[in-house]
Structures are given as structure tokens and as C-alpha cells.
PDB file of all heavy atoms in Angstrom:
ATOM      1  N   LEU A  22      99.742 141.637  45.370  1.00 98.00           N
ATOM      2  CA  LEU A  22      99.243 140.711  46.412  1.00 98.00           C
ATOM      3  C   LEU A  22      99.358 141.438  47.752  1.00 98.00           C
ATOM      4  O   LEU A  22     100.228 142.120  47.972  1.00 98.00           O
ATOM      5  CB  LEU A  22     100.152 139.432  46.375  1.00 98.00           C
ATOM      6  CG  LEU A  22     100.292 138.636  45.066  1.00 98.00           C
ATOM      7  CD1 LEU A  22     101.109 137.353  45.259  1.00 98.00           C
ATOM      8  CD2 LEU A  22      98.879 138.348  44.480  1.00 98.00           C
ATOM      9  N   SER A  23      98.329 140.992  48.539  1.00 98.00           N
ATOM     10  CA  SER A  23      98.291 141.552  49.957  1.00 98.00           C
ATOM     11  C   SER A  23      98.299 140.384  50.947  1.00 98.00           C
ATOM     12  O   SER A  23      97.724 139.312  50.619  1.00 98.00           O
ATOM     13  CB  SER A  23      97.021 142.322  50.170  1.00 98.00           C
ATOM     14  OG  SER A  23      96.976 143.502  49.314  1.00 98.00           O
ATOM     15  N   CYS A  24      98.847 140.623  52.063  1.00 98.00           N
ATOM     16  CA  CYS A  24      98.929 139.564  53.168  1.00 98.00           C
ATOM     17  C   CYS A  24      98.439 140.220  54.433  1.00 98.00           C
ATOM     18  O   CYS A  24      99.249 141.025  54.956  1.00 98.00           O
ATOM     19  CB  CYS A  24     100.245 139.039  53.253  1.00 98.00           C
ATOM     20  SG  CYS A  24     100.508 137.852  54.702  1.00 98.00           S
ATOM     21  N   ALA A  25      97.250 139.959  54.871  1.00 97.00           N
ATOM     22  CA  ALA A  25      96.767 140.586  56.103  1.00 97.00           C
ATOM     23  C   ALA A  25      97.045 139.630  57.251  1.00 97.00           C
ATOM     24  O   ALA A  25      96.705 138.469  57.209  1.00 97.00           O
ATOM     25  CB  ALA A  25      95.244 140.807  55.932  1.00 97.00           C
ATOM     26  N   ALA A  26      97.631 140.243  58.335  1.00 95.00           N
ATOM     27  CA  ALA A  26      97.985 139.522  59.481  1.00 95.00           C
ATOM     28  C   ALA A  26      97.059 139.853  60.592  1.00 95.00           C
ATOM     29  O   ALA A  26      96.558 141.017  60.815  1.00 95.00           O
ATOM     30  CB  ALA A  26      99.451 139.822  59.901  1.00 95.00           C
ATOM     31  N   SER A  27      96.760 138.860  61.455  1.00 90.00           N
ATOM     32  CA  SER A  27      95.971 139.034  62.669  1.00 90.00           C
ATOM     33  C   SER A  27      96.521 138.233  63.754  1.00 90.00           C
ATOM     34  O   SER A  27      97.293 137.288  63.485  1.00 90.00           O
ATOM     35  CB  SER A  27      94.509 138.711  62.405  1.00 90.00           C
ATOM     36  OG  SER A  27      94.370 137.370  62.039  1.00 90.00           O
ATOM     37  N   GLY A  28      96.154 138.537  64.912  1.00 79.00           N
ATOM     38  CA  GLY A  28      96.653 137.719  66.020  1.00 79.00           C
ATOM     39  C   GLY A  28      97.751 138.552  66.806  1.00 79.00           C
ATOM     40  O   GLY A  28      97.685 139.771  66.865  1.00 79.00           O
ATOM     41  N   ARG A  29      98.754 137.826  67.301  1.00 74.00           N
ATOM     42  CA  ARG A  29      99.759 138.564  68.036  1.00 74.00           C
ATOM     43  C   ARG A  29     100.558 139.449  67.197  1.00 74.00           C
ATOM     44  O   ARG A  29     100.518 139.412  66.040  1.00 74.00           O
ATOM     45  CB  ARG A  29     100.657 137.502  68.685  1.00 74.00           C
ATOM     46  CG  ARG A  29     101.563 136.733  67.677  1.00 74.00           C
ATOM     47  CD  ARG A  29     102.246 135.556  68.403  1.00 74.00           C
ATOM     48  NE  ARG A  29     103.133 135.924  69.495  1.00 74.00           N
ATOM     49  CZ  ARG A  29     104.337 136.335  69.311  1.00 74.00           C
ATOM     50  NH1 ARG A  29     104.885 136.377  68.052  1.00 74.00           N
ATOM     51  NH2 ARG A  29     105.124 136.701  70.335  1.00 74.00           N
ATOM     52  N   THR A  30     101.324 140.301  67.838  1.00 68.00           N
ATOM     53  CA  THR A  30     102.092 141.374  67.253  1.00 68.00           C
ATOM     54  C   THR A  30     102.897 140.823  66.032  1.00 68.00           C
ATOM     55  O   THR A  30     103.457 139.730  66.038  1.00 68.00           O
ATOM     56  CB  THR A  30     103.022 142.044  68.175  1.00 68.00           C
ATOM     57  OG1 THR A  30     103.652 143.128  67.449  1.00 68.00           O
ATOM     58  CG2 THR A  30     104.092 141.094  68.709  1.00 68.00           C
ATOM     59  N   PHE A  31     102.942 141.666  65.010  1.00 81.00           N
ATOM     60  CA  PHE A  31     103.656 141.270  63.788  1.00 81.00           C
ATOM     61  C   PHE A  31     104.754 142.276  63.472  1.00 81.00           C
ATOM     62  O   PHE A  31     105.492 142.121  62.493  1.00 81.00           O
ATOM     63  CB  PHE A  31     102.613 140.998  62.654  1.00 81.00           C
ATOM     64  CG  PHE A  31     102.733 141.749  61.425  1.00 81.00           C
ATOM     65  CD1 PHE A  31     102.980 141.049  60.233  1.00 81.00           C
ATOM     66  CD2 PHE A  31     102.598 143.123  61.268  1.00 81.00           C
ATOM     67  CE1 PHE A  31     103.021 141.737  59.070  1.00 81.00           C
ATOM     68  CE2 PHE A  31     102.698 143.771  60.100  1.00 81.00           C
ATOM     69  CZ  PHE A  31     102.903 143.090  58.964  1.00 81.00           C
ATOM     70  N   SER A  32     104.831 143.326  64.252  1.00 83.00           N
ATOM     71  CA  SER A  32     105.740 144.395  63.950  1.00 83.00           C
ATOM     72  C   SER A  32     107.251 143.996  64.030  1.00 83.00           C
ATOM     73  O   SER A  32     108.004 144.595  63.381  1.00 83.00           O
ATOM     74  CB  SER A  32     105.511 145.627  64.828  1.00 83.00           C
ATOM     75  OG  SER A  32     105.712 145.281  66.198  1.00 83.00           O
ATOM     76  N   ARG A  33     107.541 143.019  64.824  1.00 91.00           N
ATOM     77  CA  ARG A  33     108.972 142.577  64.865  1.00 91.00           C
ATOM     78  C   ARG A  33     109.151 141.300  64.081  1.00 91.00           C
ATOM     79  O   ARG A  33     110.231 140.614  64.228  1.00 91.00           O
ATOM     80  CB  ARG A  33     109.373 142.272  66.382  1.00 91.00           C
ATOM     81  CG  ARG A  33     109.302 143.595  67.205  1.00 91.00           C
ATOM     82  CD  ARG A  33     110.425 144.475  67.027  1.00 91.00           C
ATOM     83  NE  ARG A  33     111.746 143.864  67.383  1.00 91.00           N
ATOM     84  CZ  ARG A  33     112.767 144.583  67.817  1.00 91.00           C
ATOM     85  NH1 ARG A  33     112.702 145.868  67.940  1.00 91.00           N
ATOM     86  NH2 ARG A  33     113.924 143.982  68.054  1.00 91.00           N
ATOM     87  N   SER A  34     108.219 140.903  63.286  1.00 94.00           N
ATOM     88  CA  SER A  34     108.391 139.713  62.450  1.00 94.00           C
ATOM     89  C   SER A  34     108.865 140.060  61.037  1.00 94.00           C
ATOM     90  O   SER A  34     108.294 140.981  60.403  1.00 94.00           O
ATOM     91  CB  SER A  34     107.031 138.990  62.365  1.00 94.00           C
ATOM     92  OG  SER A  34     106.611 138.539  63.615  1.00 94.00           O
ATOM     93  N   ALA A  35     109.844 139.302  60.547  1.00 96.00           N
ATOM     94  CA  ALA A  35     110.160 139.466  59.162  1.00 96.00           C
ATOM     95  C   ALA A  35     109.095 138.795  58.347  1.00 96.00           C
ATOM     96  O   ALA A  35     108.451 137.862  58.802  1.00 96.00           O
ATOM     97  CB  ALA A  35     111.533 138.847  58.906  1.00 96.00           C
ATOM     98  N   MET A  36     108.905 139.273  57.080  1.00 97.00           N
ATOM     99  CA  MET A  36     107.882 138.707  56.244  1.00 97.00           C
ATOM    100  C   MET A  36     108.495 138.253  54.957  1.00 97.00           C
ATOM    101  O   MET A  36     109.576 138.693  54.509  1.00 97.00           O
ATOM    102  CB  MET A  36     106.816 139.763  55.884  1.00 97.00           C
ATOM    103  CG  MET A  36     106.204 140.396  57.018  1.00 97.00           C
ATOM    104  SD  MET A  36     105.121 139.225  57.968  1.00 97.00           S
ATOM    105  CE  MET A  36     103.900 138.851  56.695  1.00 97.00           C
ATOM    106  N   GLY A  37     107.878 137.257  54.343  1.00 98.00           N
ATOM    107  CA  GLY A  37     108.373 136.748  53.113  1.00 98.00           C
ATOM    108  C   GLY A  37     107.249 136.368  52.141  1.00 98.00           C
ATOM    109  O   GLY A  37     106.149 136.066  52.571  1.00 98.00           O
ATOM    110  N   TRP A  38     107.523 136.321  50.872  1.00 98.00           N
ATOM    111  CA  TRP A  38     106.618 135.788  49.895  1.00 98.00           C
ATOM    112  C   TRP A  38     107.293 134.662  49.193  1.00 98.00           C
ATOM    113  O   TRP A  38     108.438 134.820  48.684  1.00 98.00           O
ATOM    114  CB  TRP A  38     106.228 136.912  48.848  1.00 98.00           C
ATOM    115  CG  TRP A  38     105.232 137.887  49.329  1.00 98.00           C
ATOM    116  CD1 TRP A  38     105.531 139.161  49.847  1.00 98.00           C
ATOM    117  CD2 TRP A  38     103.835 137.706  49.345  1.00 98.00           C
ATOM    118  NE1 TRP A  38     104.340 139.754  50.195  1.00 98.00           N
ATOM    119  CE2 TRP A  38     103.265 138.868  49.859  1.00 98.00           C
ATOM    120  CE3 TRP A  38     102.935 136.761  48.945  1.00 98.00           C
ATOM    121  CZ2 TRP A  38     101.894 139.097  50.017  1.00 98.00           C
ATOM    122  CZ3 TRP A  38     101.554 136.899  49.084  1.00 98.00           C
ATOM    123  CH2 TRP A  38     101.099 138.110  49.659  1.00 98.00           C
ATOM    124  N   PHE A  39     106.620 133.588  49.142  1.00 98.00           N
ATOM    125  CA  PHE A  39     107.088 132.344  48.444  1.00 98.00           C
ATOM    126  C   PHE A  39     106.116 131.984  47.368  1.00 98.00           C
ATOM    127  O   PHE A  39     104.997 132.434  47.288  1.00 98.00           O
ATOM    128  CB  PHE A  39     107.142 131.192  49.433  1.00 98.00           C
ATOM    129  CG  PHE A  39     108.200 131.239  50.497  1.00 98.00           C
ATOM    130  CD1 PHE A  39     108.160 132.197  51.518  1.00 98.00           C
ATOM    131  CD2 PHE A  39     109.357 130.411  50.428  1.00 98.00           C
ATOM    132  CE1 PHE A  39     109.232 132.276  52.438  1.00 98.00           C
ATOM    133  CE2 PHE A  39     110.431 130.482  51.369  1.00 98.00           C
ATOM    134  CZ  PHE A  39     110.309 131.387  52.404  1.00 98.00           C
ATOM    135  N   ARG A  40     106.567 131.264  46.454  1.00 98.00           N
ATOM    136  CA  ARG A  40     105.685 130.677  45.405  1.00 98.00           C
ATOM    137  C   ARG A  40     106.009 129.250  45.138  1.00 98.00           C
ATOM    138  O   ARG A  40     107.193 128.740  45.281  1.00 98.00           O
ATOM    139  CB  ARG A  40     105.757 131.481  44.127  1.00 98.00           C
ATOM    140  CG  ARG A  40     107.087 131.341  43.314  1.00 98.00           C
ATOM    141  CD  ARG A  40     107.082 132.363  42.187  1.00 98.00           C
ATOM    142  NE  ARG A  40     108.277 132.342  41.386  1.00 98.00           N
ATOM    143  CZ  ARG A  40     108.561 133.195  40.401  1.00 98.00           C
ATOM    144  NH1 ARG A  40     107.707 134.091  40.036  1.00 98.00           N
ATOM    145  NH2 ARG A  40     109.747 132.992  39.740  1.00 98.00           N
ATOM    146  N   GLN A  41     104.992 128.516  44.640  1.00 98.00           N
ATOM    147  CA  GLN A  41     105.211 127.093  44.341  1.00 98.00           C
ATOM    148  C   GLN A  41     104.428 126.812  43.017  1.00 98.00           C
ATOM    149  O   GLN A  41     103.176 126.964  42.995  1.00 98.00           O
ATOM    150  CB  GLN A  41     104.706 126.206  45.374  1.00 98.00           C
ATOM    151  CG  GLN A  41     105.023 124.686  45.113  1.00 98.00           C
ATOM    152  CD  GLN A  41     104.870 123.891  46.456  1.00 98.00           C
ATOM    153  OE1 GLN A  41     104.175 124.279  47.392  1.00 98.00           O
ATOM    154  NE2 GLN A  41     105.561 122.749  46.469  1.00 98.00           N
ATOM    155  N   ALA A  42     105.149 126.461  41.948  1.00 97.00           N
ATOM    156  CA  ALA A  42     104.498 126.093  40.671  1.00 97.00           C
ATOM    157  C   ALA A  42     104.308 124.603  40.698  1.00 97.00           C
ATOM    158  O   ALA A  42     105.002 123.849  41.417  1.00 97.00           O
ATOM    159  CB  ALA A  42     105.458 126.467  39.596  1.00 97.00           C
ATOM    160  N   PRO A  43     103.475 124.072  39.849  1.00 93.00           N
ATOM    161  CA  PRO A  43     103.137 122.632  39.798  1.00 93.00           C
ATOM    162  C   PRO A  43     104.419 121.844  39.549  1.00 93.00           C
ATOM    163  O   PRO A  43     105.207 122.159  38.566  1.00 93.00           O
ATOM    164  CB  PRO A  43     102.140 122.502  38.667  1.00 93.00           C
ATOM    165  CG  PRO A  43     101.422 123.812  38.611  1.00 93.00           C
ATOM    166  CD  PRO A  43     102.521 124.820  39.038  1.00 93.00           C
ATOM    167  N   GLY A  44     104.653 120.811  40.390  1.00 95.00           N
ATOM    168  CA  GLY A  44     105.817 119.981  40.163  1.00 95.00           C
ATOM    169  C   GLY A  44     107.140 120.569  40.609  1.00 95.00           C
ATOM    170  O   GLY A  44     108.185 119.976  40.399  1.00 95.00           O
ATOM    171  N   LYS A  45     107.102 121.811  41.158  1.00 97.00           N
ATOM    172  CA  LYS A  45     108.319 122.363  41.625  1.00 97.00           C
ATOM    173  C   LYS A  45     108.319 122.614  43.157  1.00 97.00           C
ATOM    174  O   LYS A  45     107.292 122.630  43.772  1.00 97.00           O
ATOM    175  CB  LYS A  45     108.500 123.710  40.889  1.00 97.00           C
ATOM    176  CG  LYS A  45     108.748 123.572  39.379  1.00 97.00           C
ATOM    177  CD  LYS A  45     109.113 124.872  38.750  1.00 97.00           C
ATOM    178  CE  LYS A  45     109.522 124.674  37.367  1.00 97.00           C
ATOM    179  NZ  LYS A  45     109.929 125.967  36.645  1.00 97.00           N
ATOM    180  N   GLU A  46     109.527 122.864  43.723  1.00 97.00           N
ATOM    181  CA  GLU A  46     109.558 123.133  45.144  1.00 97.00           C
ATOM    182  C   GLU A  46     109.175 124.627  45.396  1.00 97.00           C
ATOM    183  O   GLU A  46     109.251 125.454  44.505  1.00 97.00           O
ATOM    184  CB  GLU A  46     111.028 122.935  45.599  1.00 97.00           C
ATOM    185  CG  GLU A  46     111.466 121.510  45.564  1.00 97.00           C
ATOM    186  CD  GLU A  46     112.788 121.295  46.266  1.00 97.00           C
ATOM    187  OE1 GLU A  46     113.498 122.275  46.570  1.00 97.00           O
ATOM    188  OE2 GLU A  46     113.210 120.152  46.374  1.00 97.00           O
ATOM    189  N   ARG A  47     108.695 124.837  46.615  1.00 98.00           N
ATOM    190  CA  ARG A  47     108.387 126.197  46.980  1.00 98.00           C
ATOM    191  C   ARG A  47     109.662 127.052  47.108  1.00 98.00           C
ATOM    192  O   ARG A  47     110.599 126.544  47.725  1.00 98.00           O
ATOM    193  CB  ARG A  47     107.576 126.133  48.359  1.00 98.00           C
ATOM    194  CG  ARG A  47     107.001 127.474  48.678  1.00 98.00           C
ATOM    195  CD  ARG A  47     106.133 127.261  49.926  1.00 98.00           C
ATOM    196  NE  ARG A  47     105.042 126.335  49.762  1.00 98.00           N
ATOM    197  CZ  ARG A  47     104.092 126.211  50.704  1.00 98.00           C
ATOM    198  NH1 ARG A  47     104.001 126.962  51.810  1.00 98.00           N
ATOM    199  NH2 ARG A  47     103.104 125.332  50.445  1.00 98.00           N
ATOM    200  N   GLU A  48     109.616 128.199  46.520  1.00 98.00           N
ATOM    201  CA  GLU A  48     110.787 129.086  46.532  1.00 98.00           C
ATOM    202  C   GLU A  48     110.442 130.439  47.102  1.00 98.00           C
ATOM    203  O   GLU A  48     109.326 130.965  46.897  1.00 98.00           O
ATOM    204  CB  GLU A  48     111.401 129.176  45.137  1.00 98.00           C
ATOM    205  CG  GLU A  48     110.414 129.866  44.158  1.00 98.00           C
ATOM    206  CD  GLU A  48     111.072 130.195  42.772  1.00 98.00           C
ATOM    207  OE1 GLU A  48     112.296 130.175  42.733  1.00 98.00           O
ATOM    208  OE2 GLU A  48     110.357 130.552  41.845  1.00 98.00           O
ATOM    209  N   CYS A  49     111.424 131.089  47.692  1.00 98.00           N
ATOM    210  CA  CYS A  49     111.289 132.440  48.218  1.00 98.00           C
ATOM    211  C   CYS A  49     111.517 133.388  47.061  1.00 98.00           C
ATOM    212  O   CYS A  49     112.486 133.328  46.401  1.00 98.00           O
ATOM    213  CB  CYS A  49     112.207 132.669  49.384  1.00 98.00           C
ATOM    214  SG  CYS A  49     111.987 134.358  50.149  1.00 98.00           S
ATOM    215  N   VAL A  50     110.608 134.291  46.887  1.00 98.00           N
ATOM    216  CA  VAL A  50     110.744 135.321  45.805  1.00 98.00           C
ATOM    217  C   VAL A  50     111.108 136.660  46.468  1.00 98.00           C
ATOM    218  O   VAL A  50     111.779 137.511  45.751  1.00 98.00           O
ATOM    219  CB  VAL A  50     109.552 135.465  44.971  1.00 98.00           C
ATOM    220  CG1 VAL A  50     109.268 134.232  44.120  1.00 98.00           C
ATOM    221  CG2 VAL A  50     108.311 135.838  45.756  1.00 98.00           C
ATOM    222  N   ALA A  51     110.682 136.959  47.739  1.00 98.00           N
ATOM    223  CA  ALA A  51     111.052 138.201  48.315  1.00 98.00           C
ATOM    224  C   ALA A  51     111.040 138.124  49.811  1.00 98.00           C
ATOM    225  O   ALA A  51     110.150 137.370  50.317  1.00 98.00           O
ATOM    226  CB  ALA A  51     110.081 139.357  47.810  1.00 98.00           C
ATOM    227  N   GLY A  52     111.833 138.905  50.507  1.00 98.00           N
ATOM    228  CA  GLY A  52     111.793 138.998  51.972  1.00 98.00           C
ATOM    229  C   GLY A  52     111.943 140.435  52.380  1.00 98.00           C
ATOM    230  O   GLY A  52     112.536 141.227  51.721  1.00 98.00           O
ATOM    231  N   ILE A  53     111.376 140.755  53.528  1.00 98.00           N
ATOM    232  CA  ILE A  53     111.500 142.076  54.096  1.00 98.00           C
ATOM    233  C   ILE A  53     111.756 141.935  55.568  1.00 98.00           C
ATOM    234  O   ILE A  53     111.089 141.125  56.240  1.00 98.00           O
ATOM    235  CB  ILE A  53     110.216 142.945  53.773  1.00 98.00           C
ATOM    236  CG1 ILE A  53     110.477 144.393  54.117  1.00 98.00           C
ATOM    237  CG2 ILE A  53     108.990 142.359  54.388  1.00 98.00           C
ATOM    238  CD1 ILE A  53     109.431 145.319  53.582  1.00 98.00           C
ATOM    239  N   SER A  54     112.653 142.743  56.105  1.00 97.00           N
ATOM    240  CA  SER A  54     112.969 142.735  57.527  1.00 97.00           C
ATOM    241  C   SER A  54     111.844 143.345  58.394  1.00 97.00           C
ATOM    242  O   SER A  54     111.001 143.981  57.826  1.00 97.00           O
ATOM    243  CB  SER A  54     114.266 143.465  57.793  1.00 97.00           C
ATOM    244  OG  SER A  54     114.160 144.826  57.511  1.00 97.00           O
ATOM    245  N   TRP A  55     111.944 143.242  59.644  1.00 96.00           N
ATOM    246  CA  TRP A  55     110.820 143.708  60.493  1.00 96.00           C
ATOM    247  C   TRP A  55     110.691 145.241  60.461  1.00 96.00           C
ATOM    248  O   TRP A  55     109.591 145.767  60.612  1.00 96.00           O
ATOM    249  CB  TRP A  55     110.925 143.158  61.961  1.00 96.00           C
ATOM    250  CG  TRP A  55     112.101 143.562  62.752  1.00 96.00           C
ATOM    251  CD1 TRP A  55     113.150 142.821  63.023  1.00 96.00           C
ATOM    252  CD2 TRP A  55     112.341 144.822  63.383  1.00 96.00           C
ATOM    253  NE1 TRP A  55     114.063 143.558  63.829  1.00 96.00           N
ATOM    254  CE2 TRP A  55     113.535 144.754  64.091  1.00 96.00           C
ATOM    255  CE3 TRP A  55     111.618 146.018  63.542  1.00 96.00           C
ATOM    256  CZ2 TRP A  55     114.137 145.783  64.811  1.00 96.00           C
ATOM    257  CZ3 TRP A  55     112.113 147.023  64.304  1.00 96.00           C
ATOM    258  CH2 TRP A  55     113.364 146.895  64.927  1.00 96.00           C
ATOM    259  N   SER A  56     111.869 145.931  60.160  1.00 96.00           N
ATOM    260  CA  SER A  56     111.753 147.359  60.113  1.00 96.00           C
ATOM    261  C   SER A  56     111.354 147.824  58.752  1.00 96.00           C
ATOM    262  O   SER A  56     110.955 148.976  58.539  1.00 96.00           O
ATOM    263  CB  SER A  56     113.127 147.990  60.475  1.00 96.00           C
ATOM    264  OG  SER A  56     113.992 147.855  59.379  1.00 96.00           O
ATOM    265  N   GLY A  57     111.356 146.950  57.767  1.00 96.00           N
ATOM    266  CA  GLY A  57     111.138 147.336  56.447  1.00 96.00           C
ATOM    267  C   GLY A  57     112.429 147.855  55.747  1.00 96.00           C
ATOM    268  O   GLY A  57     112.341 148.203  54.532  1.00 96.00           O
ATOM    269  N   GLY A  58     113.466 148.041  56.514  1.00 96.00           N
ATOM    270  CA  GLY A  58     114.607 148.677  55.949  1.00 96.00           C
ATOM    271  C   GLY A  58     115.493 147.802  55.041  1.00 96.00           C
ATOM    272  O   GLY A  58     116.353 148.278  54.357  1.00 96.00           O
ATOM    273  N   LYS A  59     115.297 146.491  55.102  1.00 98.00           N
ATOM    274  CA  LYS A  59     116.008 145.563  54.249  1.00 98.00           C
ATOM    275  C   LYS A  59     115.089 144.743  53.494  1.00 98.00           C
ATOM    276  O   LYS A  59     114.036 144.243  54.022  1.00 98.00           O
ATOM    277  CB  LYS A  59     116.908 144.637  55.141  1.00 98.00           C
ATOM    278  CG  LYS A  59     118.032 145.381  55.903  1.00 98.00           C
ATOM    279  CD  LYS A  59     118.784 144.401  56.746  1.00 98.00           C
ATOM    280  CE  LYS A  59     119.871 145.135  57.485  1.00 98.00           C
ATOM    281  NZ  LYS A  59     120.705 144.165  58.398  1.00 98.00           N
ATOM    282  N   THR A  60     115.376 144.578  52.189  1.00 98.00           N
ATOM    283  CA  THR A  60     114.626 143.662  51.345  1.00 98.00           C
ATOM    284  C   THR A  60     115.508 142.742  50.570  1.00 98.00           C
ATOM    285  O   THR A  60     116.786 143.144  50.395  1.00 98.00           O
ATOM    286  CB  THR A  60     113.703 144.460  50.368  1.00 98.00           C
ATOM    287  OG1 THR A  60     114.493 145.252  49.602  1.00 98.00           O
ATOM    288  CG2 THR A  60     112.649 145.267  51.150  1.00 98.00           C
ATOM    289  N   SER A  61     115.027 141.665  50.107  1.00 98.00           N
ATOM    290  CA  SER A  61     115.798 140.780  49.279  1.00 98.00           C
ATOM    291  C   SER A  61     114.884 140.072  48.273  1.00 98.00           C
ATOM    292  O   SER A  61     113.653 140.015  48.511  1.00 98.00           O
ATOM    293  CB  SER A  61     116.587 139.705  50.111  1.00 98.00           C
ATOM    294  OG  SER A  61     115.631 138.927  50.850  1.00 98.00           O
ATOM    295  N   TYR A  62     115.506 139.719  47.098  1.00 98.00           N
ATOM    296  CA  TYR A  62     114.692 139.168  46.010  1.00 98.00           C
ATOM    297  C   TYR A  62     115.404 138.002  45.357  1.00 98.00           C
ATOM    298  O   TYR A  62     116.678 138.068  45.300  1.00 98.00           O
ATOM    299  CB  TYR A  62     114.409 140.223  44.975  1.00 98.00           C
ATOM    300  CG  TYR A  62     113.632 141.440  45.491  1.00 98.00           C
ATOM    301  CD1 TYR A  62     114.252 142.582  46.033  1.00 98.00           C
ATOM    302  CD2 TYR A  62     112.239 141.398  45.562  1.00 98.00           C
ATOM    303  CE1 TYR A  62     113.495 143.589  46.508  1.00 98.00           C
ATOM    304  CE2 TYR A  62     111.482 142.432  46.069  1.00 98.00           C
ATOM    305  CZ  TYR A  62     112.070 143.556  46.531  1.00 98.00           C
ATOM    306  OH  TYR A  62     111.384 144.583  47.004  1.00 98.00           O
ATOM    307  N   ALA A  63     114.649 137.066  44.788  1.00 98.00           N
ATOM    308  CA  ALA A  63     115.145 136.040  44.021  1.00 98.00           C
ATOM    309  C   ALA A  63     115.609 136.718  42.689  1.00 98.00           C
ATOM    310  O   ALA A  63     115.018 137.715  42.261  1.00 98.00           O
ATOM    311  CB  ALA A  63     114.184 134.964  43.718  1.00 98.00           C
ATOM    312  N   ASP A  64     116.680 136.209  42.093  1.00 98.00           N
ATOM    313  CA  ASP A  64     117.183 136.719  40.844  1.00 98.00           C
ATOM    314  C   ASP A  64     116.107 136.785  39.762  1.00 98.00           C
ATOM    315  O   ASP A  64     116.068 137.691  38.960  1.00 98.00           O
ATOM    316  CB  ASP A  64     118.352 135.979  40.329  1.00 98.00           C
ATOM    317  CG  ASP A  64     119.580 136.213  41.161  1.00 98.00           C
ATOM    318  OD1 ASP A  64     119.667 137.246  41.896  1.00 98.00           O
ATOM    319  OD2 ASP A  64     120.519 135.311  41.116  1.00 98.00           O
ATOM    320  N   SER A  65     115.256 135.804  39.762  1.00 97.00           N
ATOM    321  CA  SER A  65     114.211 135.677  38.713  1.00 97.00           C
ATOM    322  C   SER A  65     113.187 136.844  38.736  1.00 97.00           C
ATOM    323  O   SER A  65     112.469 137.069  37.811  1.00 97.00           O
ATOM    324  CB  SER A  65     113.465 134.388  38.779  1.00 97.00           C
ATOM    325  OG  SER A  65     112.909 134.212  40.140  1.00 97.00           O
TER     326      SER A  65
END
């Protein structure tokens, strides 16, 4: 999956990917810090 950003600067913004299955709450599956040096993932 790709996420293209436009508009104001995004270099100091942390990014995340979430997902939502039917009938379920939206959950975070992955996050990345603004430097890219830190990442985190859901256990699943």
C-alpha cells in the first residue's frame, strides 16, 4: 500500500496505517516516527 501526501510539510509528521474490518473498530497496524527511525506494529 502507498500513501501519497500533499499540502503542508510532512517530514516532521509521524505516519500510521490503520485498518477497519466490517463490524469492528478501527485499529492501528503500524506506525513510523517522523525520522523513520522508529516503527511499531500490532501483534497480529
Side-chain angles (χ1 to χ4, degrees):
L22 304 183
S23 298
C24 172
S27 61
R29 68 189 300 274
T30 182
F31 124 116
S32 61
R33 296 283 298 208
S34 297
M36 302 293 295
W38 284 96
F39 288 71
R40 69 184 180 187
Q41 188 166 20
K45 294 189 176 182
E46 292 187 354
R47 194 172 298 190
E48 62 171 346
C49 184
V50 296
I53 188 166
S54 65
W55 62 258
S56 75
K59 296 181 181 178
T60 57
S61 60
Y62 298 92
D64 287 343
S65 58

